[in-house]
Amino acid sequence: MSKLGKKLWMLGLVLLLAAALAVPALAAGEDAGAPAAQEEAQEESGGGKTIGSALAIGLAALGGGLGMGIATGKAVESIGRQPEAESKIRTMLMLGLVFIETAIIYALLVVILIIFVL
């Protein structure tokens, strides 16, 4: 991929993230300053929670999947180069994968809290 293509890809991701973060600000109504109106609006529509939850778990899963794929690929590469160090490489790989998976589970717990508590 050329440098221009990479820059355009990154620009698109930044614009997508900015648009996703702007959704709650654009969704506020005229009477959003009144506390009663805010409570009624939150009870009637859970769109912001849904979008935020989907975005959070999607990004966590995407990042975790990419991290796990890269780590596994590098471990296989390392074992191919040094077969005698297979047990040490495998141990470190499993430890790293556990930490990545833990971060994804924490993101899932946060999303569940957003959906059911907030």
Side-chain angles (χ1 to χ4, degrees), residues 1 4 14-15 19 22 26 32-33 36 41 44 50 54-56 58 66 76 79 90 92 97 101 104 107-108 111 117:
M1 185 181 278
L4 179 62
V14 169
L15 290 175
L26 297 174
E44 290 176 6
T50 305
L55 188 64
L66 287 174
V76 169
I79 291 172
R90 183 178 294 143
M92 295 306 292
L97 292 178
E101 190 67 29
I104 297 169
L108 177 64
V111 167
V117 175

Side-chain angles (χ1 to χ4, degrees), residues 3-90:
K3 288 184 180 181
L4 179 62
K6 287 181 182 179
K7 287 182 181 180
L8 288 175
W9 180 250
M10 289 303 292
L11 177 65
L13 287 176
V14 169
L15 290 175
L16 181 66
L17 181 62
L21 293 175
V23 168
L26 297 174
E30 292 178 14
D31 57 348
Q38 285 181 353
E39 289 177 12
E40 289 176 10
Q42 287 178 354
E43 290 175 4
E44 290 176 6
S45 133
K49 284 187 204 179
T50 305
I51 292 172
S53 299
L55 188 64
I57 198 65
L59 288 175
L62 176 70
L66 287 174
M68 287 180 175
I70 291 170
T72 305
K74 296 294 183 178
V76 169
E77 221 175 272
S78 299
I79 291 172
R81 289 184 186 164
Q82 292 184 331
E84 65 275 0
E86 179 182 0
S87 63
K88 289 183 180 181
I89 294 170
R90 183 178 294 143

Side-chain angles (χ1 to χ4, degrees), residues 56-57 60 101-115:
I57 198 65
E101 190 67 29
T102 303
I104 297 169
I105 291 171
Y106 285 149
L108 177 64
L109 290 175
V110 168
V111 167
I112 289 171
L113 285 173
I114 288 172
I115 292 172

